[in-house]
Amino acid sequence: MEIVAADVIVTSPNRNFVTLKITTDDGLTGLGDATLNGRELAVVSYLRDHVVPLLIGRDAHRIEDTWQFLYRSAYWRRGPVTMAAIAAVDMALWDIKGKAAGMPVYQLLGGASRNGLMAYGHASGKSLPELFDSIRDHQEQGYRSIRVQTGVPGLTAIYGIAAQSTSGERYDHEPAQRGGYPTEEDWDTRAYLRHVPTVFEAVRNEFGPELPLLHDGHHRMTPIQAATLGKSLEPYDLFWLEDCTPAENQEALRLVRQHTTTPLAIGEIFNTVWDFQSLIKEQLIDYVRAASTHFGGITPLRKVMDYAAQYQVKSGFHGPTDVSPVGLAAQMHVGLAIHNFGIQEYMKHGAHTNRVFQQSFTFEDGYLHPGDRPGLGVDLDVDEAGKYPYEVAYLPYNRLADGTVHDW
Ligand code: GCO
Ligand code: MG
């Protein structure tokens, strides 16, 4: 089965998405997600200029060989642009293999290990009443696990909090709100560290001990600050504390781990299994936050999870709206098949996005399922996609009170 075409489709229905569509000589097509939020066009060029010409004529069945060929023959390995491009090829080939076999991809990965994937949603609020409303709203939508992000007194704009204070408004970065230069937000770690434990105490008092609660530190703390936060959150029994320190320095987690039993999750900006090597082996984390899209696709995601299984480390794949419905489907198939599934992040895509990408997954009673259509279960309506041209859109960034740039 030969690859005869590979097209890169850029569309911005609610936000920018980059999708690779591979076509074979027997007419099968497969989709892969190559979206890299804020740096989309770099991946488009990597694919169009350097990958697509190499794909034509290759055997579409040889997924592992194609992955190794793209990874090793470039010589310049790793990095988000390279790995998002390879991920798109990998997903598209799994999609094609599933269609050729007449089976959903999770069947090719060993079949379902569970009935559905527990998903968590993003509740947020500038104040406690807003936060409580947002948690209730998520519970009404069916979520059984909830990420809690909160405003901090004295800070005007902060990661994870919806721009509008209207109840039910969800946190996201749609292109319309973003534009051609990163907006500036403010940050003060000491104020954050004082405030967050009081919020989790209030949430536990209001919602009881059962509800799994998660929190994202978004890379902002030093190791000792993260250790302090983990310790102060122990009474509130978090499901996880995510990205408590910047991910570049993996040794930081050793220090955090020595001080707290709050479970730790990291890795949404990691690109390869090597980034997790010592974190898993030394049991410094509890959850792998990789996303199929930024990690080279289904093939390496499966590999890192098999490695993690030996250390009882589970999955918590990254599922914000900047992972497209194709990338989300890809990791749902992996999550359903592996034994060491933990939880799946699920931010709902916007209505326009759902018109461009027709999907077969379901979300019922807090659980996701990728569906049983052959392949990944996602189609792309090219005409609909064409209605939404690319819009330049950058993520915000942070400055401290004295003007120093800080991690966002
Ligand atoms: C998460 C992430 C996202 C990122 C976003 C950047 O935990 O879902 O931290 O909210 O900020 O993916 O593009
Ligand atoms: Mg995160």
Side-chain angles (χ1 to χ4, degrees), residues 232-277:
S232 60
L233 291 176
E234 278 170 24
Y236 314 116
D237 185 26
L238 263 61
F239 186 95
W240 78 35
L241 172 61
E242 176 190 340
D243 286 343
C244 58
T245 54
E248 291 95 324
N249 178 17
Q250 306 196 357
E251 290 189 14
L253 274 298
R254 207 172 288 145
L255 189 145
V256 179
R257 200 64 150 175
Q258 279 160 7
H259 292 283
T260 179
T261 55
T262 292
L264 302 175
I266 208 159
E268 68 183 37
I269 64 169
F270 287 4
N271 313 127
T272 74
V273 64
W274 302 105
D275 297 332
F276 283 106
Q277 189 185 28

Side-chain angles (χ1 to χ4, degrees), residues 5 12 32 37 53 81 153 158 197 294 357 366 370 380:
S12 189
N37 199 4
V81 175
I158 127 167
H294 306 123
F357 296 93
L380 189 148

Side-chain angles (χ1 to χ4, degrees), residues 309-322:
Q310 299 173 60
Y311 300 92
Q312 291 174 286
V313 174
K314 296 185 174 184
S315 69
F317 300 145
H318 189 209
T321 52
D322 43 292

Side-chain angles (χ1 to χ4, degrees), residues 120 147 159 216 218-219 242-243 268 289 318 345:
Y120 74 89
R147 188 184 90 160
Y159 166 79
D216 191 346
H218 229 244
H219 323 273
E242 176 190 340
D243 286 343
E268 68 183 37
R289 285 284 289 147
H318 189 209
E345 181 181 22

Side-chain angles (χ1 to χ4, degrees), residues 17-303:
F17 293 111
V18 178
T19 311
L20 180 71
K21 180 178 180 182
I22 293 182
T23 308
T24 65
D25 55 359
D26 47 11
L28 289 178
T29 58
L31 297 179
D33 179 25
T35 307
L36 187 60
N37 199 4
R39 295 292 184 273
E40 296 87 356
L41 299 184
V43 193
V44 172
S45 161
Y46 194 103
L47 280 168
R48 278 192 187 139
D49 298 334
H50 303 294
V51 172
V52 167
L54 304 180
L55 292 177
I56 309 303
R58 290 187 66 85
D59 179 357
H61 273 308
R62 297 182 64 177
I63 300 178
E64 177 74 27
D65 182 67
T66 300
W67 196 98
Q68 298 295 346
F69 166 66
L70 292 174
Y71 183 75
R72 291 171 200 277
S73 70
Y75 185 63
W76 310 105
R77 298 174 189 178
R78 315 180 5 155
V81 175
T82 300
M83 299 313 286
I86 295 178
V89 176
D90 183 81
M91 284 179 212
L93 294 182
W94 277 104
D95 195 16
I96 288 171
K97 196 181 279 296
K99 288 175 183 170
M103 287 184 197
V105 168
Y106 75 82
Q107 294 291 12
L108 306 180
L109 298 173
S113 286
R114 58 195 50 76
N115 303 327
L117 308 171
M118 183 169 73
Y120 74 89
H122 290 196
S124 72
K126 287 196 185 113
S127 64
L128 279 180
E130 276 176 33
L131 175 62
F132 289 180
D133 283 352
S134 173
I135 294 175
R136 282 192 198 97
D137 179 58
H138 279 78
Q139 288 180 310
E140 277 157 29
Q141 292 175 49
Y143 285 104
R144 292 181 177 196
S145 305
I146 304 216
R147 188 184 90 160
V148 169
Q149 303 295 132
T150 164
V152 173
L155 298 181
T156 46
I158 127 167
Y159 166 79
I161 310 298
Q164 279 86 22
S165 58
T166 337
S167 151
E169 189 69 37
R170 71 193 185 129
Y171 171 76
D172 204 350
H173 284 288
E174 306 292 1
Q177 297 158 6
R178 290 166 62 195
Y181 198 86
T183 53
E184 188 176 309
E185 298 186 346
D186 51 354
W187 184 247
D188 176 344
T189 311
R190 290 187 65 231
Y192 164 80
L193 291 177
R194 280 194 305 274
H195 187 62
V196 170
T198 67
V199 170
F200 275 89
E201 184 184 15
V203 171
R204 274 289 173 231
N205 287 341
E206 181 75 12
F207 293 91
E210 287 296 328
L211 183 65
L213 297 174
L214 303 87
H215 180 68
D216 191 346
H218 229 244
H219 323 273
R220 290 171 186 205
M221 287 164 272
T222 64
I224 203 68
Q225 288 169 336
T228 305
L229 181 65
K231 215 168 171 177
S232 60
L233 291 176
E234 278 170 24
Y236 314 116
D237 185 26
L238 263 61
F239 186 95
W240 78 35
L241 172 61
E242 176 190 340
D243 286 343
C244 58
T245 54
E248 291 95 324
N249 178 17
Q250 306 196 357
E251 290 189 14
L253 274 298
R254 207 172 288 145
L255 189 145
V256 179
R257 200 64 150 175
Q258 279 160 7
H259 292 283
T260 179
T261 55
T262 292
L264 302 175
I266 208 159
E268 68 183 37
I269 64 169
F270 287 4
N271 313 127
T272 74
V273 64
W274 302 105
D275 297 332
F276 283 106
Q277 189 185 28
S278 56
L279 295 183
I280 291 174
K281 193 167 170 195
E282 293 185 40
Q283 304 183 79
L284 301 181
I285 56 169
D286 301 279
Y287 295 94
V288 165
R289 285 284 289 147
S292 56
T293 308
H294 306 123
F295 201 70
I298 290 172
T299 301
L301 201 57
R302 175 68 202 241
K303 287 179 188 178

